[in-house]
């Protein structure tokens, strides 16, 4: 199936979501081309084994809609049958734009797909990961938006070997007048080996200092539930779950988290899950490798002290 | 200024979703998707600033229309709704095709959404609608400042960025940044007499098609038989032991 991967740039290289899709594409021997969208200068995103095109946009304007125009042309010219994008801000925007021009509804939140001749079957995770939902995509062009961490990131060697293309701005472009880059310190949720997440069972925002101390000792990234993000205890960028980030660390420590299905979607594939919750019946225990029934405020300080 | 704000009625999110033949089972009484309250809040702030007219647009099983009423109670002026067997289990493109038509009927300059519905969560409908309507798309808005020119702050992967709201555009609003208002008694009473107009599918241009064929749902129950301990003051030891065993420390 002739395919086009919509890639993204992160810190001068390909984003982890892009690398994950490349793994899947190579496993399936897809005949693919990578079109990377980004605003960084001279990222190292090229390859000697597949074709890479960099659509370089200005950070000072919203011009993804123009980038979509360029992609639609490329998809039509190359008779592309399969378009793969990541479930990110950029990936969703672009896929949404493309889908109208190609009259093909994207399949979103895909965690896997299989190709059998001309049949493409997608898998979605539902019920907080308790069930999988399979559909065949029947349109000529198939657009899939892939959830992060669905595949291992590829370790392809990246080079400077790519062509840069500019886009012709359409009249839907909007100027950006203020760009704020959030400072990121310490281990990041997406790629940390240990993630410690807090829920309402930390009782008070002040107690998050324990989570920070523990994270410091274990060199871990910090996440949280929507309940505490909504309560303003933590920024949205640290939310784990259906409407937040998906993580797959070696160890996930859930502190005072009930384990709602929407939270589980974002963390249940972690290799080893430790849960601390004072309610013996909390659903988080159903997916925990080690469950401790007890008070977070007793256990975590002792844990910090003894590490 | 005229504003259309999308509102979806969804099954009570406190109860888990059930499926028949791959379709979400929708009870007669559905509620307003919480995600939409953020879009409605932004619409109402713009209404206050520009003296705009706010029309709720909604597609899907109407049932008791509880969710539509909830949207009107927040302060929207009227509603345009559509239900048709041909739209059952619509994919995102069918949905956005219809919502674009309804936004046109409402003569909307600005069309506002939440970022993704809680039951379908494809997260592409606002972008699609902008493309159908040929309007700029300001997605993932997490803040609005109406004190002077209307400024919108967008969430980005790296942080955030600000734009001045164009006169005509499509906006999607994330679940943070604005605080959706609670209706007061007066608003609740007033909502009952607001106009809810039912739109016929034949009055809209509808070109999108279904492109997903349901295959099956497989249960992969991932319940682990992990170990569970009642804390007696020393469980920190057990945690440390296990972390060592799996070589995490
Ligand atoms: C459409 C939709 C999308 C959503 N997306 C997300 C998402 O992306 N991420 C997400 O996390 N949620 C999401 N949610 C919300 C989710 O349903 C839950 O409401 C949320 O995850 C609960 O957070 P919590 O576990 O912190 O709080 P609660 O459910 O209130 O749980 C708190 C837990 O702490 C325990 N506890 C209390 N005190 C202590 C103590 N002293 N010691 C030990 N334990 C204690 C309690 O027993 C309880 O189990 C979404 C919901 C919807 C409807």
């Amino acid at each position: 199936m002739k395919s086009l991967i919509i890639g993204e740039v992160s810190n001068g290289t390909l984003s982890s979501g892009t690398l994950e899709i490349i793994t899947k594409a190579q496993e399936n021997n897809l005949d693919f081309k990578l079109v990377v969208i980004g605003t960084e200068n001279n990222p190292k995103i090229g390859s000697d084994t597949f074709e890479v095109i960099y659509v370089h946009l200005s950070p000072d304007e919203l011009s993804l809609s123009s980038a979509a125009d360029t992609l639609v042309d490329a998809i039509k010219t190359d008779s592309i049958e399969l378009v793969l994008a990541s479930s990110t801000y950029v990936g969703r925007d672009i896929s949404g734009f493309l889908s109208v021009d190609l009259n093909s509804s994207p399949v979103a939140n895909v965690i896997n797909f299989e190709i059998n001749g001309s049949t493409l079957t997608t898998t979605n995770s539902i019920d907080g990961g308790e069930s999988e939902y399979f559909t065949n995509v029947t349109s000529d062009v198939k657009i899939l938006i892939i959830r992060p961490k669905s595949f291992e990131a590829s370790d392809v060697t990246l080079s400077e070997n790519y062509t840069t293309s500019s886009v012709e701005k359409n009249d839907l472009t909007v100027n950006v007048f203020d760009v704020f880059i959030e400072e990121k310190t310490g281990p990041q949720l997406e790629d940390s080996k240990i993630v410690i997440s807090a829920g309402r069972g930390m009782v008070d925002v002040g107690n998050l200092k324990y989570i920070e101390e523990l994270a410091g000792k274990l060199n871990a990234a910090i996440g949280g539930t929507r309940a505490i993000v909504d309560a303003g205890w933590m920024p949205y960028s640290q939310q784990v779950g259906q409407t937040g980030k998906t993580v797959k660390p070696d160890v996930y420590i859930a502190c005072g988290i009930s384990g709602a299905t929407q939270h589980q979607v974002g963390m249940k594939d972690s290799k080893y899950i430790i849960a601390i919750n004072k309610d013996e019946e909390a659903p988080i225990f159903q997916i925990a490798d080690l469950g401790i029934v007890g008070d977070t405020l007793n256990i975590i300080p002792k844990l910090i002290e003894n590490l | 200024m005229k504003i259309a704000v999308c509102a979806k009625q969804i099954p009570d999110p406190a109860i888990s979703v059930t499926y028949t033949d791959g379709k979400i089972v929708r009870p007669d009484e559905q509620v307003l998707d919480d995600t939409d309250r953020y879009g409605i809040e932004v619409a109402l702030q713009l209404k206050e600033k520009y003296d705009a007219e706010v029309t709720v647009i909604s597609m899907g099983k109407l049932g008791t229309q509880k969710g539509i009423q909830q949207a009107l109670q927040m302060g929207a002026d009227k509603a345009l709704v559509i239900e048709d067997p041909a739209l059952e289990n619509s994919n995102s493109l069918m949905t956005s095709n219809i919502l674009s038509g309804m936004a046109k009927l409402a003569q909307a300059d600005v069309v506002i959404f939440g970022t993704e519905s809680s039951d379908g969560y494809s997260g592409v409908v606002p972008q699609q609608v902008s493309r159908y309507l040929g309007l700029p798309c300001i997605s993932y808005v997490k803040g609005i400042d109406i004190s002077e020119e209307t400024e919108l702050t967008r969430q980005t992967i790296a942080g955030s960025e600000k734009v001045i709201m164009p006169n005509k555009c499509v906006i999607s609003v994330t679940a943070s940044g604005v605080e959706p208002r609670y209706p007061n008694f007066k608003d609740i009473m007033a909502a009952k007499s607001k106009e809810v107009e039912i739109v016929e599918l034949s009055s809209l241009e509808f070109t999108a098609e279904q492109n997903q064929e349901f295959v099956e749902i497989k249960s992969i129950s991932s319940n682990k038989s992990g170990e569970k301990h009642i804390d007696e003051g020393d469980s920190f030891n057990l945690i440390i032991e296990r972390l060592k065993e799996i070589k995490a420390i």
Side-chain angles (χ1 to χ4, degrees):
Chain A
M1 219 171 254
K2 263 195 119 176
S3 312
L4 184 144
I5 298 175
I6 299 174
E8 291 171 53
V9 185
S10 169
N11 297 321
T13 178
L14 290 176
S15 72
S16 50
T18 307
L19 291 168
E20 288 156 21
I21 295 176
I22 292 175
T23 301
K24 181 69 181 176
Q26 291 187 322
E27 266 174 22
N28 283 260
N29 292 318
L30 289 180
D31 169 16
F32 73 91
K33 175 190 278 194
L34 174 66
V35 179
V36 182
I37 294 173
T39 55
E40 293 184 24
N41 292 321
N42 307 315
K44 197 170 168 186
I45 53 171
S47 165
D48 297 332
T49 48
F50 48 86
E51 186 184 351
V52 182
I53 298 166
Y54 184 36
V55 178
H56 190 186
L57 303 177
S58 157
D60 301 324
E61 51 195 29
L62 304 184
S63 51
L64 282 179
S65 146
S66 319
D69 294 346
T70 310
L71 280 169
V72 169
D73 288 342
I75 289 165
K76 287 185 176 161
T77 316
D78 293 352
S79 313
I80 297 287
E81 295 160 280
L82 175 62
V83 179
L84 300 167
S86 303
S87 195
T88 56
Y89 301 120
V90 169
R92 284 170 159 195
D93 276 7
I94 281 277
S95 309
F97 297 148
L98 289 180
S99 65
V100 174
D101 294 34
L102 300 169
N103 197 27
S104 167
S105 193
V107 187
N109 293 302
V110 170
I111 59 162
N112 198 6
F113 62 90
E114 236 165 78
I115 299 170
N116 244 321
S118 61
T119 308
L120 184 137
T121 309
T122 56
T123 313
N124 275 65
S125 176
I126 58 171
D127 297 345
E130 291 290 286
S131 310
E132 289 182 337
Y133 185 106
F134 296 86
T135 50
N136 288 338
V137 190
T138 55
S139 40
D140 295 340
V141 182
K142 304 163 188 7
I143 307 172
L144 310 189
I145 308 177
I146 314 278
R147 261 192 94 83
K149 307 283 172 189
S150 295
F151 315 112
E152 293 287 325
S154 160
D155 54 5
V156 283
T157 312
L158 297 174
S159 69
E160 317 283 334
N161 188 11
Y162 60 90
T163 47
T164 300
S165 112
S166 58
V167 298
E168 206 168 306
K169 254 197 284 176
N170 66 22
D171 54 8
L172 303 181
T173 308
V174 177
N175 286 331
V176 170
F177 69 90
D178 192 7
V179 178
F180 169 71
I181 310 281
E182 210 174 287
E183 216 180 302
K184 291 190 176 154
T185 48
Q188 297 300 303
L189 271 181
E190 293 87 343
D191 44 35
S192 182
K193 290 210 176 309
I194 305 183
V195 170
I196 303 176
S197 280
R200 211 140 43 180
M202 288 308 295
V203 187
D204 185 85
V205 61
N207 295 325
L208 292 189
K209 64 170 190 272
Y210 297 122
I211 300 291
E212 281 157 24
E213 272 183 64
L214 183 59
K217 290 232 161 163
L218 294 172
N219 192 27
I222 297 177
T225 63
R226 173 151 127 187
I228 72 162
V229 168
D230 284 353
W233 294 10
M234 228 179 238
Y236 169 71
S237 55
Q238 281 170 267
Q239 182 177 315
V240 173
Q242 176 181 314
T243 40
K245 295 207 162 120
T246 305
V247 300
K248 212 173 180 176
D250 291 346
V251 184
Y252 188 88
I253 309 182
C255 306
I257 292 177
S258 59
T261 54
Q262 296 92 350
H263 185 76
Q264 289 193 18
V265 172
M267 47 66 73
K268 68 162 180 53
D269 290 331
S270 305
K271 292 205 186 83
Y272 193 84
I273 298 171
I274 301 177
I276 306 172
N277 193 307
K278 68 177 183 189
D279 172 11
E280 199 171 340
E281 302 297 321
I284 192 77
F285 288 130
Q286 290 166 13
I287 57 162
D289 297 276
L290 172 62
I292 306 285
V293 183
D295 194 327
T296 51
L297 302 179
N298 288 334
I299 298 165
I300 300 170
K302 282 191 206 150
L303 181 58
I304 295 167
E305 212 174 292
N306 289 280
L307 268 169
Chain B
M1 182 191 279
K2 290 193 175 179
I3 299 172
V5 62
C6 291
K8 185 176 186 184
Q9 299 195 101
I10 61 164
D12 184 345
I15 303 162
S16 43
V17 179
T18 49
Y19 296 82
T20 41
D21 298 331
K23 296 179 195 167
I24 292 180
V25 176
R26 299 190 177 276
D28 263 337
E29 178 150 299
Q30 298 192 95
V31 297
L32 173 63
D33 188 344
D34 234 12
T35 320
D36 291 325
R37 291 181 189 273
Y38 300 89
I40 296 171
E41 176 59 37
V42 167
L44 295 174
Q45 291 190 19
L46 293 173
K47 172 183 165 74
E48 283 151 17
K49 173 163 172 143
Y50 298 103
D51 195 22
E53 178 188 69
V54 176
T55 306
V56 169
I57 58 179
S58 186
M59 174 188 121
K61 178 169 176 175
L62 288 173
T64 63
Q65 300 195 16
K66 179 178 178 182
I68 308 292
Q69 281 300 313
Q70 288 174 311
L72 291 171
Q73 286 167 1
M74 284 180 72
D77 297 301
K78 56 180 186 173
L80 281 180
V81 298
I82 188 166
E83 176 183 13
D84 192 286
L87 302 177
E88 238 180 75
N89 214 35
S90 284
N91 60 30
S92 60
L93 199 66
M94 294 161 75
T95 306
S96 58
N97 192 173
I98 293 296
L99 291 175
S100 305
M102 309 235 316
K104 276 191 205 157
L105 287 181
Q107 299 175 320
D109 303 296
V110 176
V111 189
I112 306 180
F113 293 85
T115 48
E116 57 186 6
S117 68
S118 299
D119 55 349
Y121 68 107
S122 68
V124 292
V125 169
Q127 295 86 339
Q128 291 169 330
V129 168
S130 77
R131 198 79 175 176
Y132 272 119
L133 296 175
L135 296 179
C137 178
I138 323 286
S139 51
Y140 308 106
V141 167
K142 62 164 201 168
I144 175 168
D145 182 350
I146 54 170
S147 51
E148 287 166 36
E149 265 185 299
T150 300
E151 284 177 20
L152 302 172
T153 306
R154 287 187 76 231
Q155 176 79 45
T156 63
I157 191 99
S160 61
E161 60 193 17
K162 289 186 179 168
V163 302
I164 303 287
M165 186 180 86
N167 294 330
K168 286 177 177 280
C169 63
V170 173
I171 297 173
S172 78
V173 182
T174 67
S176 64
V178 295
E179 190 66 46
R181 64 195 64 188
Y182 286 102
N184 56 35
F185 183 70
K186 202 173 118 253
D187 294 332
I188 293 174
M189 294 316 288
K192 292 191 179 134
S193 55
K194 287 176 181 169
E195 185 193 351
V196 179
E197 188 189 329
I198 297 181
V199 176
E200 295 299 326
L201 182 56
S202 56
S203 65
L204 300 174
E205 201 183 321
F206 186 42
T207 52
E209 289 163 10
Q210 185 54 267
N211 68 338
Q212 280 182 256
E213 234 172 51
F214 173 66
V215 180
E216 61 175 335
I217 292 176
K218 265 192 209 159
S219 168
I220 50 154
S221 185
S222 53
N223 286 5
K224 286 181 184 166
S225 46
E227 46 179 337
K228 191 149 86 180
H229 292 268
I230 313 274
D231 179 49
E232 278 162 1
D234 58 353
S235 27
F236 62 89
N237 270 330
L238 187 60
I239 297 177
I240 294 171
E241 233 171 79
R242 292 292 177 271
L243 288 175
K244 281 184 180 153
E245 277 168 23
I246 58 169
K247 301 198 164 54
I249 51 174

